Amino acid sequence: MSASVRVRFAPSPTGPLHIGGVRTALYNYLFARKMGGTFILRIEDTDQTRFVPGAEQYILESLAWLGISPDEGVGAEGPHAPYRQSERKDLYKAYADQLIREEKAYYAFDTSEELDAMRTMFESKGSAFQYNALTRVKLRNSLALPAAEVQALLDANTPYVIRLKVPAKGEIRFQDSVRDWVHVHTSSMDDKVLMKSDGMPTYHLANVVDDHIMEITHVIRGEEWLPSAPLHILLYQAFGWTAPQFAHLPLLLKPEGNGKLSKRDADLGGFPVFPMEWTDPQTGAVSKGFKQEGYLPEATLNFLAFLGWNPGTEQELFSLAELVDAFSLERINKAGAKFDVNKAKWFNEQYLKQQAPEALADLYLGHLSKEQGLAFVSLFLDRITFPKELSALVAAFIEKPSNYDEAVIQNKWNAESEKGLRILADAFPKVGVWQADDIKLVIHESLEAAGIKMGKVMQILRVALSGNGAGPDLMISMQLWGKDQVIERLEAALKTFPSIN
RNA sequence: GGUCCGUUCGUCUAGGGGUUAGGACACGUCCCUUUCACGGAUGAAACACGGGUUCGAUUCCCGUACGGACUACCA
């Protein structure tokens, strides 16, 4: 029996993987790497009615984008293939039958309609229906019905499910890595369905069987599974297997208000909840993705890692390798975390500044010369959150101003600044080398000679040349526009601005 | 309704029986700068409440409140 750590990420292909799922995958990945273990991807597609084409591919691509691809499983294969539960269907039945033989599970013939009716009846009385030790004796199952009748129903191919026979009394307890001891009385649990009438296992059975067969040592999953963990423990006990170590992760919450972050929150707050863009195959509706919004994978990873975990030091910027090194289950928080788009943007800005300027220029300013591209990257890098802003910013920069910032003209356009601009219009053609430092010198000297302070003229010059009251370094901007262009723009502004002198 | 889980600045969080309760994002102010941004400095801002235990509780225990998850032949 090997002691090496094996963890799995086990999503359902029912739509795009949402960002909470990505974090679960990340923590599994980090833990596996940290412990020198194996990270497995298993696809839990036992609900055929909810299968969405393309979802599995989406999961694989999202993990690949972030650099947390599985070592084993769908997309990687391995010794326990297949890793899609729909392809393991026959396996589960045998385990369910084993529990039937050992009288730890039983056949139930109640139809969905009958159960629904039961629920509404209980509800009208102000209580909740549970299929358990108290109620199962009055329902249509192999525990309540005479053996001969059960056999007759089976022989007649009556649809049935297999339910776990949960003991009437007893306490289930387990030590969760995040929550410490959790206790639940079996009396509050119900006889969950293990095999559905379509012959597919439910999550509970498939999950426990596969985790055992695949030798999973640690189950790291979302807190929404905490209530069913005792059921899973009961199943491990029924099979006589040792349960893996559980770690239930805190939920990712809606940024505004309360509640679990859901797929419906997509686009509501102007931020994505999916790693990549997703087009609904049914409706054609498109949901934003971190990738397409312009988040870098490193930033997305770093941001996500800190939602529910921290290293206990004041370092906040972590590469994937550093995260692996610092990660531990013990430092995962208990409380749910809302996510803050400002923090996500801040992480992106940090990583953006670390990008190779050449790569950014290539990717976003490929239509320009290499030299120009690099110049623009260095001019704008500190002013953007997403790399794609570069293209629009540069396009606007190159464009001649179509209108001028009125407020600045109101405040700064006067006899003195007009005189200043006219002096500059005369001086610029005489500049020899059109280079930022020389331009600055010429501006300084010519204005000084006229007794005008630079500060009186600079902002109006900026408006005259760019239309805007604020922006990147003017001298470098002028150098990039080029001498002719600057002179032309200045002349145009001088004609447009109302003359005072 | 029932079961389970949670609660430190607006947000992410550190801390943990005696602390000026620390950091980051966002926000304010100042510095840098011809402007804006970047950067630097600085400010405002939190232990849900009530009982215990204790010399002392934000920290431990119990309640309460609030929030959340689950309560399907979905995962």
Side-chain angles (χ1 to χ4, degrees), chain A residues 57-80:
Chain A
Q57 188 59 24
Y58 179 93
I59 291 166
L60 253 18
E61 284 171 10
S62 297
L63 297 182
W65 174 58
L66 291 165
I68 53 174
S69 293
D71 304 311
E72 187 180 315
V74 172
E77 293 317 310
H80 299 285

mmCIF file with all atom_site columns, all heavy atoms in Angstrom, chain A residues 57-80:
data_model
loop_
_atom_site.group_PDB
_atom_site.id
_atom_site.type_symbol
_atom_site.label_atom_id
_atom_site.label_alt_id
_atom_site.label_comp_id
_atom_site.label_asym_id
_atom_site.label_entity_id
_atom_site.label_seq_id
_atom_site.pdbx_PDB_ins_code
_atom_site.Cartn_x
_atom_site.Cartn_y
_atom_site.Cartn_z
_atom_site.occupancy
_atom_site.B_iso_or_equiv
_atom_site.pdbx_formal_charge
_atom_site.auth_seq_id
_atom_site.auth_comp_id
_atom_site.auth_asym_id
_atom_site.auth_atom_id
_atom_site.pdbx_PDB_model_num
ATOM 1   N N   . GLN A 1 57 ? -14.563 19.636 -22.419 1.00 0.00 ? 57 GLN A N   1
ATOM 2   C CA  . GLN A 1 57 ? -13.473 20.288 -23.140 1.00 0.00 ? 57 GLN A CA  1
ATOM 3   C C   . GLN A 1 57 ? -13.136 21.635 -22.478 1.00 0.00 ? 57 GLN A C   1
ATOM 4   O O   . GLN A 1 57 ? -11.972 22.008 -22.321 1.00 0.00 ? 57 GLN A O   1
ATOM 5   C CB  . GLN A 1 57 ? -13.903 20.504 -24.602 1.00 0.00 ? 57 GLN A CB  1
ATOM 6   C CG  . GLN A 1 57 ? -12.804 21.000 -25.522 1.00 0.00 ? 57 GLN A CG  1
ATOM 7   C CD  . GLN A 1 57 ? -11.633 20.034 -25.574 1.00 0.00 ? 57 GLN A CD  1
ATOM 8   O OE1 . GLN A 1 57 ? -11.774 18.843 -25.310 1.00 0.00 ? 57 GLN A OE1 1
ATOM 9   N NE2 . GLN A 1 57 ? -10.455 20.553 -25.893 1.00 0.00 ? 57 GLN A NE2 1
ATOM 10  N N   . TYR A 1 58 ? -14.183 22.321 -22.101 1.00 0.00 ? 58 TYR A N   1
ATOM 11  C CA  . TYR A 1 58 ? -14.026 23.623 -21.440 1.00 0.00 ? 58 TYR A CA  1
ATOM 12  C C   . TYR A 1 58 ? -13.226 23.479 -20.143 1.00 0.00 ? 58 TYR A C   1
ATOM 13  O O   . TYR A 1 58 ? -12.336 24.283 -19.853 1.00 0.00 ? 58 TYR A O   1
ATOM 14  C CB  . TYR A 1 58 ? -15.405 24.212 -21.142 1.00 0.00 ? 58 TYR A CB  1
ATOM 15  C CG  . TYR A 1 58 ? -15.371 25.543 -20.427 1.00 0.00 ? 58 TYR A CG  1
ATOM 16  C CD1 . TYR A 1 58 ? -15.396 26.728 -21.141 1.00 0.00 ? 58 TYR A CD1 1
ATOM 17  C CD2 . TYR A 1 58 ? -15.290 25.602 -19.036 1.00 0.00 ? 58 TYR A CD2 1
ATOM 18  C CE1 . TYR A 1 58 ? -15.349 27.951 -20.483 1.00 0.00 ? 58 TYR A CE1 1
ATOM 19  C CE2 . TYR A 1 58 ? -15.247 26.810 -18.374 1.00 0.00 ? 58 TYR A CE2 1
ATOM 20  C CZ  . TYR A 1 58 ? -15.273 27.987 -19.096 1.00 0.00 ? 58 TYR A CZ  1
ATOM 21  O OH  . TYR A 1 58 ? -15.214 29.189 -18.440 1.00 0.00 ? 58 TYR A OH  1
ATOM 22  N N   . ILE A 1 59 ? -13.544 22.457 -19.376 1.00 0.00 ? 59 ILE A N   1
ATOM 23  C CA  . ILE A 1 59 ? -12.842 22.216 -18.113 1.00 0.00 ? 59 ILE A CA  1
ATOM 24  C C   . ILE A 1 59 ? -11.356 21.984 -18.376 1.00 0.00 ? 59 ILE A C   1
ATOM 25  O O   . ILE A 1 59 ? -10.490 22.586 -17.739 1.00 0.00 ? 59 ILE A O   1
ATOM 26  C CB  . ILE A 1 59 ? -13.455 20.999 -17.379 1.00 0.00 ? 59 ILE A CB  1
ATOM 27  C CG1 . ILE A 1 59 ? -14.865 21.353 -16.881 1.00 0.00 ? 59 ILE A CG1 1
ATOM 28  C CG2 . ILE A 1 59 ? -12.566 20.552 -16.229 1.00 0.00 ? 59 ILE A CG2 1
ATOM 29  C CD1 . ILE A 1 59 ? -15.695 20.150 -16.450 1.00 0.00 ? 59 ILE A CD1 1
ATOM 30  N N   . LEU A 1 60 ? -11.089 21.128 -19.351 1.00 0.00 ? 60 LEU A N   1
ATOM 31  C CA  . LEU A 1 60 ? -9.704  20.809 -19.696 1.00 0.00 ? 60 LEU A CA  1
ATOM 32  C C   . LEU A 1 60 ? -8.935  22.055 -20.148 1.00 0.00 ? 60 LEU A C   1
ATOM 33  O O   . LEU A 1 60 ? -7.802  22.304 -19.728 1.00 0.00 ? 60 LEU A O   1
ATOM 34  C CB  . LEU A 1 60 ? -9.706  19.784 -20.834 1.00 0.00 ? 60 LEU A CB  1
ATOM 35  C CG  . LEU A 1 60 ? -9.338  18.331 -20.577 1.00 0.00 ? 60 LEU A CG  1
ATOM 36  C CD1 . LEU A 1 60 ? -9.409  17.913 -19.137 1.00 0.00 ? 60 LEU A CD1 1
ATOM 37  C CD2 . LEU A 1 60 ? -10.158 17.396 -21.452 1.00 0.00 ? 60 LEU A CD2 1
ATOM 38  N N   . GLU A 1 61 ? -9.578  22.834 -20.994 1.00 0.00 ? 61 GLU A N   1
ATOM 39  C CA  . GLU A 1 61 ? -8.908  24.036 -21.513 1.00 0.00 ? 61 GLU A CA  1
ATOM 40  C C   . GLU A 1 61 ? -8.672  25.069 -20.425 1.00 0.00 ? 61 GLU A C   1
ATOM 41  O O   . GLU A 1 61 ? -7.646  25.749 -20.399 1.00 0.00 ? 61 GLU A O   1
ATOM 42  C CB  . GLU A 1 61 ? -9.746  24.654 -22.650 1.00 0.00 ? 61 GLU A CB  1
ATOM 43  C CG  . GLU A 1 61 ? -9.620  23.880 -23.957 1.00 0.00 ? 61 GLU A CG  1
ATOM 44  C CD  . GLU A 1 61 ? -10.605 24.353 -25.024 1.00 0.00 ? 61 GLU A CD  1
ATOM 45  O OE1 . GLU A 1 61 ? -11.250 25.406 -24.810 1.00 0.00 ? 61 GLU A OE1 1
ATOM 46  O OE2 . GLU A 1 61 ? -10.723 23.665 -26.052 1.00 0.00 ? 61 GLU A OE2 1
ATOM 47  N N   . SER A 1 62 ? -9.633  25.186 -19.521 1.00 0.00 ? 62 SER A N   1
ATOM 48  C CA  . SER A 1 62 ? -9.485  26.151 -18.430 1.00 0.00 ? 62 SER A CA  1
ATOM 49  C C   . SER A 1 62 ? -8.317  25.778 -17.534 1.00 0.00 ? 62 SER A C   1
ATOM 50  O O   . SER A 1 62 ? -7.506  26.628 -17.157 1.00 0.00 ? 62 SER A O   1
ATOM 51  C CB  . SER A 1 62 ? -10.770 26.218 -17.594 1.00 0.00 ? 62 SER A CB  1
ATOM 52  O OG  . SER A 1 62 ? -11.832 26.688 -18.384 1.00 0.00 ? 62 SER A OG  1
ATOM 53  N N   . LEU A 1 63 ? -8.228  24.505 -17.183 1.00 0.00 ? 63 LEU A N   1
ATOM 54  C CA  . LEU A 1 63 ? -7.133  24.061 -16.321 1.00 0.00 ? 63 LEU A CA  1
ATOM 55  C C   . LEU A 1 63 ? -5.796  24.236 -17.042 1.00 0.00 ? 63 LEU A C   1
ATOM 56  O O   . LEU A 1 63 ? -4.804  24.649 -16.440 1.00 0.00 ? 63 LEU A O   1
ATOM 57  C CB  . LEU A 1 63 ? -7.328  22.602 -15.896 1.00 0.00 ? 63 LEU A CB  1
ATOM 58  C CG  . LEU A 1 63 ? -8.582  22.311 -15.045 1.00 0.00 ? 63 LEU A CG  1
ATOM 59  C CD1 . LEU A 1 63 ? -8.624  20.843 -14.648 1.00 0.00 ? 63 LEU A CD1 1
ATOM 60  C CD2 . LEU A 1 63 ? -8.645  23.182 -13.797 1.00 0.00 ? 63 LEU A CD2 1
ATOM 61  N N   . ALA A 1 64 ? -5.802  23.953 -18.325 1.00 0.00 ? 64 ALA A N   1
ATOM 62  C CA  . ALA A 1 64 ? -4.568  24.092 -19.105 1.00 0.00 ? 64 ALA A CA  1
ATOM 63  C C   . ALA A 1 64 ? -4.137  25.559 -19.167 1.00 0.00 ? 64 ALA A C   1
ATOM 64  O O   . ALA A 1 64 ? -2.955  25.887 -19.034 1.00 0.00 ? 64 ALA A O   1
ATOM 65  C CB  . ALA A 1 64 ? -4.768  23.541 -20.513 1.00 0.00 ? 64 ALA A CB  1
ATOM 66  N N   . TRP A 1 65 ? -5.103  26.442 -19.340 1.00 0.00 ? 65 TRP A N   1
ATOM 67  C CA  . TRP A 1 65 ? -4.792  27.879 -19.392 1.00 0.00 ? 65 TRP A CA  1
ATOM 68  C C   . TRP A 1 65 ? -4.088  28.315 -18.114 1.00 0.00 ? 65 TRP A C   1
ATOM 69  O O   . TRP A 1 65 ? -3.145  29.114 -18.131 1.00 0.00 ? 65 TRP A O   1
ATOM 70  C CB  . TRP A 1 65 ? -6.076  28.692 -19.606 1.00 0.00 ? 65 TRP A CB  1
ATOM 71  C CG  . TRP A 1 65 ? -5.858  30.173 -19.533 1.00 0.00 ? 65 TRP A CG  1
ATOM 72  C CD1 . TRP A 1 65 ? -5.002  30.904 -20.314 1.00 0.00 ? 65 TRP A CD1 1
ATOM 73  C CD2 . TRP A 1 65 ? -6.450  31.096 -18.630 1.00 0.00 ? 65 TRP A CD2 1
ATOM 74  N NE1 . TRP A 1 65 ? -5.044  32.236 -19.944 1.00 0.00 ? 65 TRP A NE1 1
ATOM 75  C CE2 . TRP A 1 65 ? -5.928  32.375 -18.915 1.00 0.00 ? 65 TRP A CE2 1
ATOM 76  C CE3 . TRP A 1 65 ? -7.388  30.970 -17.597 1.00 0.00 ? 65 TRP A CE3 1
ATOM 77  C CZ2 . TRP A 1 65 ? -6.292  33.531 -18.209 1.00 0.00 ? 65 TRP A CZ2 1
ATOM 78  C CZ3 . TRP A 1 65 ? -7.772  32.110 -16.906 1.00 0.00 ? 65 TRP A CZ3 1
ATOM 79  C CH2 . TRP A 1 65 ? -7.220  33.372 -17.207 1.00 0.00 ? 65 TRP A CH2 1
ATOM 80  N N   . LEU A 1 66 ? -4.546  27.788 -16.991 1.00 0.00 ? 66 LEU A N   1
ATOM 81  C CA  . LEU A 1 66 ? -3.985  28.179 -15.700 1.00 0.00 ? 66 LEU A CA  1
ATOM 82  C C   . LEU A 1 66 ? -2.739  27.375 -15.334 1.00 0.00 ? 66 LEU A C   1
ATOM 83  O O   . LEU A 1 66 ? -2.075  27.678 -14.342 1.00 0.00 ? 66 LEU A O   1
ATOM 84  C CB  . LEU A 1 66 ? -5.045  28.010 -14.613 1.00 0.00 ? 66 LEU A CB  1
ATOM 85  C CG  . LEU A 1 66 ? -6.194  29.013 -14.736 1.00 0.00 ? 66 LEU A CG  1
ATOM 86  C CD1 . LEU A 1 66 ? -7.377  28.582 -13.884 1.00 0.00 ? 66 LEU A CD1 1
ATOM 87  C CD2 . LEU A 1 66 ? -5.736  30.407 -14.343 1.00 0.00 ? 66 LEU A CD2 1
ATOM 88  N N   . GLY A 1 67 ? -2.445  26.373 -16.113 1.00 0.00 ? 67 GLY A N   1
ATOM 89  C CA  . GLY A 1 67 ? -1.250  25.576 -15.815 1.00 0.00 ? 67 GLY A CA  1
ATOM 90  C C   . GLY A 1 67 ? -1.452  24.596 -14.687 1.00 0.00 ? 67 GLY A C   1
ATOM 91  O O   . GLY A 1 67 ? -0.505  24.243 -13.981 1.00 0.00 ? 67 GLY A O   1
ATOM 92  N N   . ILE A 1 68 ? -2.698  24.144 -14.472 1.00 0.00 ? 68 ILE A N   1
ATOM 93  C CA  . ILE A 1 68 ? -2.937  23.162 -13.414 1.00 0.00 ? 68 ILE A CA  1
ATOM 94  C C   . ILE A 1 68 ? -3.604  21.904 -13.994 1.00 0.00 ? 68 ILE A C   1
ATOM 95  O O   . ILE A 1 68 ? -4.593  21.410 -13.477 1.00 0.00 ? 68 ILE A O   1
ATOM 96  C CB  . ILE A 1 68 ? -3.766  23.746 -12.251 1.00 0.00 ? 68 ILE A CB  1
ATOM 97  C CG1 . ILE A 1 68 ? -5.069  24.393 -12.747 1.00 0.00 ? 68 ILE A CG1 1
ATOM 98  C CG2 . ILE A 1 68 ? -2.955  24.797 -11.500 1.00 0.00 ? 68 ILE A CG2 1
ATOM 99  C CD1 . ILE A 1 68 ? -6.001  24.847 -11.602 1.00 0.00 ? 68 ILE A CD1 1
ATOM 100 N N   . SER A 1 69 ? -3.022  21.440 -15.059 1.00 0.00 ? 69 SER A N   1
ATOM 101 C CA  . SER A 1 69 ? -3.564  20.256 -15.721 1.00 0.00 ? 69 SER A CA  1
ATOM 102 C C   . SER A 1 69 ? -3.325  19.005 -14.885 1.00 0.00 ? 69 SER A C   1
ATOM 103 O O   . SER A 1 69 ? -2.362  18.933 -14.127 1.00 0.00 ? 69 SER A O   1
ATOM 104 C CB  . SER A 1 69 ? -2.922  20.092 -17.092 1.00 0.00 ? 69 SER A CB  1
ATOM 105 O OG  . SER A 1 69 ? -3.331  21.157 -17.928 1.00 0.00 ? 69 SER A OG  1
ATOM 106 N N   . PRO A 1 70 ? -4.212  18.030 -15.041 1.00 0.00 ? 70 PRO A N   1
ATOM 107 C CA  . PRO A 1 70 ? -4.096  16.798 -14.242 1.00 0.00 ? 70 PRO A CA  1
ATOM 108 C C   . PRO A 1 70 ? -2.910  15.935 -14.650 1.00 0.00 ? 70 PRO A C   1
ATOM 109 O O   . PRO A 1 70 ? -2.457  15.964 -15.786 1.00 0.00 ? 70 PRO A O   1
ATOM 110 C CB  . PRO A 1 70 ? -5.408  16.072 -14.524 1.00 0.00 ? 70 PRO A CB  1
ATOM 111 C CG  . PRO A 1 70 ? -5.887  16.617 -15.826 1.00 0.00 ? 70 PRO A CG  1
ATOM 112 C CD  . PRO A 1 70 ? -5.425  18.035 -15.873 1.00 0.00 ? 70 PRO A CD  1
ATOM 113 N N   . ASP A 1 71 ? -2.427  15.146 -13.670 1.00 0.00 ? 71 ASP A N   1
ATOM 114 C CA  . ASP A 1 71 ? -1.371  14.167 -13.932 1.00 0.00 ? 71 ASP A CA  1
ATOM 115 C C   . ASP A 1 71 ? -1.985  12.889 -14.465 1.00 0.00 ? 71 ASP A C   1
ATOM 116 O O   . ASP A 1 71 ? -1.342  12.106 -15.148 1.00 0.00 ? 71 ASP A O   1
ATOM 117 C CB  . ASP A 1 71 ? -0.655  13.800 -12.628 1.00 0.00 ? 71 ASP A CB  1
ATOM 118 C CG  . ASP A 1 71 ? -0.111  15.015 -11.928 1.00 0.00 ? 71 ASP A CG  1
ATOM 119 O OD1 . ASP A 1 71 ? 0.548   15.826 -12.600 1.00 0.00 ? 71 ASP A OD1 1
ATOM 120 O OD2 . ASP A 1 71 ? -0.363  15.167 -10.715 1.00 0.00 ? 71 ASP A OD2 1
ATOM 121 N N   . GLU A 1 72 ? -3.221  12.688 -14.077 1.00 0.00 ? 72 GLU A N   1
ATOM 122 C CA  . GLU A 1 72 ? -3.884  11.421 -14.364 1.00 0.00 ? 72 GLU A CA  1
ATOM 123 C C   . GLU A 1 72 ? -5.366  11.726 -14.527 1.00 0.00 ? 72 GLU A C   1
ATOM 124 O O   . GLU A 1 72 ? -5.880  12.633 -13.895 1.00 0.00 ? 72 GLU A O   1
ATOM 125 C CB  . GLU A 1 72 ? -3.662  10.484 -13.158 1.00 0.00 ? 72 GLU A CB  1
ATOM 126 C CG  . GLU A 1 72 ? -4.132  9.069  -13.340 1.00 0.00 ? 72 GLU A CG  1
ATOM 127 C CD  . GLU A 1 72 ? -3.870  8.221  -12.069 1.00 0.00 ? 72 GLU A CD  1
ATOM 128 O OE1 . GLU A 1 72 ? -2.767  8.307  -11.482 1.00 0.00 ? 72 GLU A OE1 1
ATOM 129 O OE2 . GLU A 1 72 ? -4.793  7.501  -11.664 1.00 0.00 ? 72 GLU A OE2 1
ATOM 130 N N   . GLY A 1 73 ? -6.038  10.976 -15.390 1.00 0.00 ? 73 GLY A N   1
ATOM 131 C CA  . GLY A 1 73 ? -7.479  11.189 -15.535 1.00 0.00 ? 73 GLY A CA  1
ATOM 132 C C   . GLY A 1 73 ? -7.838  11.609 -16.931 1.00 0.00 ? 73 GLY A C   1
ATOM 133 O O   . GLY A 1 73 ? -7.042  11.450 -17.857 1.00 0.00 ? 73 GLY A O   1
ATOM 134 N N   . VAL A 1 74 ? -9.036  12.154 -17.070 1.00 0.00 ? 74 VAL A N   1
ATOM 135 C CA  . VAL A 1 74 ? -9.490  12.608 -18.382 1.00 0.00 ? 74 VAL A CA  1
ATOM 136 C C   . VAL A 1 74 ? -8.495  13.641 -18.904 1.00 0.00 ? 74 VAL A C   1
ATOM 137 O O   . VAL A 1 74 ? -8.122  14.564 -18.194 1.00 0.00 ? 74 VAL A O   1
ATOM 138 C CB  . VAL A 1 74 ? -10.907 13.205 -18.294 1.00 0.00 ? 74 VAL A CB  1
ATOM 139 C CG1 . VAL A 1 74 ? -11.297 13.842 -19.621 1.00 0.00 ? 74 VAL A CG1 1
ATOM 140 C CG2 . VAL A 1 74 ? -11.906 12.127 -17.902 1.00 0.00 ? 74 VAL A CG2 1
ATOM 141 N N   . GLY A 1 75 ? -8.054  13.438 -20.111 1.00 0.00 ? 75 GLY A N   1
ATOM 142 C CA  . GLY A 1 75 ? -7.069  14.346 -20.683 1.00 0.00 ? 75 GLY A CA  1
ATOM 143 C C   . GLY A 1 75 ? -5.643  13.919 -20.409 1.00 0.00 ? 75 GLY A C   1
ATOM 144 O O   . GLY A 1 75 ? -4.711  14.478 -20.954 1.00 0.00 ? 75 GLY A O   1
ATOM 145 N N   . ALA A 1 76 ? -5.457  12.928 -19.546 1.00 0.00 ? 76 ALA A N   1
ATOM 146 C CA  . ALA A 1 76 ? -4.094  12.483 -19.249 1.00 0.00 ? 76 ALA A CA  1
ATOM 147 C C   . ALA A 1 76 ? -3.975  10.961 -19.197 1.00 0.00 ? 76 ALA A C   1
ATOM 148 O O   . ALA A 1 76 ? -2.899  10.414 -19.323 1.00 0.00 ? 76 ALA A O   1
ATOM 149 C CB  . ALA A 1 76 ? -3.626  13.067 -17.916 1.00 0.00 ? 76 ALA A CB  1
ATOM 150 N N   . GLU A 1 77 ? -5.125  10.301 -18.991 1.00 0.00 ? 77 GLU A N   1
ATOM 151 C CA  . GLU A 1 77 ? -5.167  8.836  -18.833 1.00 0.00 ? 77 GLU A CA  1
ATOM 152 C C   . GLU A 1 77 ? -4.367  8.362  -17.621 1.00 0.00 ? 77 GLU A C   1
ATOM 153 O O   . GLU A 1 77 ? -3.887  9.171  -16.844 1.00 0.00 ? 77 GLU A O   1
ATOM 154 C CB  . GLU A 1 77 ? -4.722  8.135  -20.117 1.00 0.00 ? 77 GLU A CB  1
ATOM 155 C CG  . GLU A 1 77 ? -5.712  8.364  -21.260 1.00 0.00 ? 77 GLU A CG  1
ATOM 156 C CD  . GLU A 1 77 ? -7.184  8.249  -20.870 1.00 0.00 ? 77 GLU A CD  1
ATOM 157 O OE1 . GLU A 1 77 ? -7.572  7.253  -20.225 1.00 0.00 ? 77 GLU A OE1 1
ATOM 158 O OE2 . GLU A 1 77 ? -7.952  9.173  -21.203 1.00 0.00 ? 77 GLU A OE2 1
ATOM 159 N N   . GLY A 1 78 ? -4.252  7.056  -17.456 1.00 0.00 ? 78 GLY A N   1
ATOM 160 C CA  . GLY A 1 78 ? -3.588  6.548  -16.270 1.00 0.00 ? 78 GLY A CA  1
ATOM 161 C C   . GLY A 1 78 ? -4.104  5.159  -15.934 1.00 0.00 ? 78 GLY A C   1
ATOM 162 O O   . GLY A 1 78 ? -4.916  4.596  -16.672 1.00 0.00 ? 78 GLY A O   1
ATOM 163 N N   . PRO A 1 79 ? -3.630  4.599  -14.836 1.00 0.00 ? 79 PRO A N   1
ATOM 164 C CA  . PRO A 1 79 ? -3.886  3.191  -14.502 1.00 0.00 ? 79 PRO A CA  1
ATOM 165 C C   . PRO A 1 79 ? -5.337  2.867  -14.141 1.00 0.00 ? 79 PRO A C   1
ATOM 166 O O   . PRO A 1 79 ? -5.712  1.706  -14.093 1.00 0.00 ? 79 PRO A O   1
ATOM 167 C CB  . PRO A 1 79 ? -2.970  2.943  -13.295 1.00 0.00 ? 79 PRO A CB  1
ATOM 168 C CG  . PRO A 1 79 ? -2.741  4.294  -12.704 1.00 0.00 ? 79 PRO A CG  1
ATOM 169 C CD  . PRO A 1 79 ? -2.764  5.253  -13.861 1.00 0.00 ? 79 PRO A CD  1
ATOM 170 N N   . HIS A 1 80 ? -6.148  3.895  -13.845 1.00 0.00 ? 80 HIS A N   1
ATOM 171 C CA  . HIS A 1 80 ? -7.526  3.596  -13.441 1.00 0.00 ? 80 HIS A CA  1
ATOM 172 C C   . HIS A 1 80 ? -8.550  3.989  -14.499 1.00 0.00 ? 80 HIS A C   1
ATOM 173 O O   . HIS A 1 80 ? -9.711  4.192  -14.196 1.00 0.00 ? 80 HIS A O   1
ATOM 174 C CB  . HIS A 1 80 ? -7.852  4.270  -12.113 1.00 0.00 ? 80 HIS A CB  1
ATOM 175 C CG  . HIS A 1 80 ? -6.974  3.793  -10.996 1.00 0.00 ? 80 HIS A CG  1
ATOM 176 N ND1 . HIS A 1 80 ? -7.115  2.567  -10.401 1.00 0.00 ? 80 HIS A ND1 1
ATOM 177 C CD2 . HIS A 1 80 ? -5.919  4.381  -10.378 1.00 0.00 ? 80 HIS A CD2 1
ATOM 178 C CE1 . HIS A 1 80 ? -6.208  2.411  -9.454  1.00 0.00 ? 80 HIS A CE1 1
ATOM 179 N NE2 . HIS A 1 80 ? -5.460  3.504  -9.417  1.00 0.00 ? 80 HIS A NE2 1
#
